[in-house]
Amino acid sequence: MKRTALLLFAHPDDETFTCGGTIAKYAKDPGVQIVLYCATRGEAGKVGDPPLCRPEELGDVREIELARAAEILGIDTVIQRNFGDGKLSHLPGEVLVKDILQVVEKVRPDVIVTFPPEGISGHADHRALHQAVVQACDHVKNRLNFKLYYVVIPQSAVHEGGPIYTTPDDEITTSIDVTANRQAIMEALRQHRTQHLSIERVFPGVLAGDWQRLRTTEYYQLAMQNGRWLLRPDWKETGWW
């Protein structure tokens, strides 16, 4: 039986920005299935400079870009939703929670991965997505057996100020070596062409083919296991499983 990882993010490109190397690493394992849930089509983002499409076309274009990046990374299934870019925190009731809950119950993942509470960048959609995933996991924690991870940035890895929310190093439970998967990260990033300004800012040189400066490790914080919320596990892992 295959092990399944369910990744839940807000926008096209979140998957590659945060954990593209881990995805590519596990996608090579025939015993692993990777499912990506993307809550919006990214239609409120930038269209590039110079513009690569009209603003009203951006959602369609970014959905295609995500499909291409997912193919490069080896993602088996993309669940694309259209809850409104920039609007996740304003959805009525528990619309997002209920949708994620249905996906979790259908996929029955061994591992769930999402943003940490502040969403790394602080984006309102990232925070709302995190909260919805936490609530959905809380609903099923006594019925399904899975591990919930937050993909994080270590405090020690950020040496300059900026709009990045980090996690104290001693709260990071899991580190995954993605050195061998940096070219896949680069190629996946290059599919998100409309977002080239953000990509060049965060990953300078990658659009020109320089992947050697990309991260060699991706980090996670284990938040739930066996139906229990874990505040600060006292062990370290080198993989999800």
Side-chain angles (χ1 to χ4, degrees):
M1 181 179 294
K2 284 191 174 185
R3 293 168 294 178
T4 300
L6 172 62
L7 317 176
L8 299 119
F9 292 113
H11 311 107
D13 79 18
D14 287 342
E15 77 300 326
T16 311
F17 268 67
T18 59
C19 57
T22 304
I23 295 170
K25 178 185 180 80
Y26 281 120
K28 295 175 184 176
D29 185 338
V32 173
Q33 174 182 236
I34 298 177
V35 179
L36 172 64
Y37 175 100
C38 186
T40 80
R41 302 172 75 226
E43 69 277 7
K46 296 182 172 128
V47 294
D49 184 17
L52 300 180
C53 66
R54 295 194 300 271
E56 63 270 21
E57 298 172 330
L58 186 58
D60 292 335
V61 172
R62 293 195 70 184
E63 189 171 338
I64 293 169
E65 290 175 344
L66 176 58
R68 290 172 177 165
E71 183 176 2
I72 286 171
L73 295 176
I75 294 172
D76 296 282
T77 303
V78 176
I79 300 172
Q80 178 69 68
R81 295 295 194 246
N82 186 20
F83 284 117
D85 188 1
K87 301 177 181 178
L88 295 188
S89 60
H90 304 296
L91 290 174
E94 292 192 343
V95 171
L96 186 58
V97 176
K98 289 177 180 176
D99 189 61
I100 290 173
L101 182 59
Q102 290 176 350
V103 170
V104 171
E105 290 178 326
K106 180 179 180 181
V107 173
R108 302 180 72 86
D110 299 280
V111 164
I112 296 175
V113 177
T114 193
F115 292 112
E118 300 295 342
I120 299 178
S121 68
H123 195 298
D125 279 352
H126 293 191
R127 294 183 181 191
L129 195 283
H130 164 86
Q131 292 169 1
V133 172
V134 165
Q135 291 179 55
C137 288
D138 215 36
H139 278 300
V140 297
K141 66 182 181 182
N142 296 321
R143 292 189 283 114
L144 299 179
N145 186 24
F146 57 87
K147 295 166 77 173
L148 170 64
Y149 290 96
Y150 304 150
V151 57
V152 297
I153 306 296
Q155 208 166 56
S156 62
V158 178
H159 305 294
E160 300 178 5
I164 296 178
Y165 291 86
T166 60
T167 298
D169 289 40
D170 62 356
E171 294 181 18
I172 292 172
T173 59
T174 310
S175 59
I176 298 179
D177 184 353
V178 299
T179 305
N181 307 105
R182 289 182 294 171
Q183 285 183 278
I185 298 173
M186 177 188 72
E187 292 301 337
L189 284 170
R190 292 170 81 175
Q191 303 313 305
H192 293 288
R193 293 178 61 245
T194 58
Q195 305 310 298
H196 64 89
L197 296 175
S198 296
I199 292 170
E200 189 60 35
R201 184 182 72 251
V202 179
F203 307 104
V206 75
L207 295 178
D210 181 6
W211 52 267
Q212 295 187 351
R213 285 189 286 170
L214 286 172
R215 59 189 179 256
T216 58
T217 307
E218 292 174 349
Y219 298 93
Y220 302 84
Q221 181 180 23
L222 180 62
M224 175 185 280
Q225 184 176 24
N226 299 325
R228 292 188 304 111
W229 290 101
L230 307 171
L231 295 179
R232 290 185 63 176
D234 58 0
W235 69 87
K236 301 293 182 182
E237 305 176 312
T238 55
W240 284 341
W241 314 105

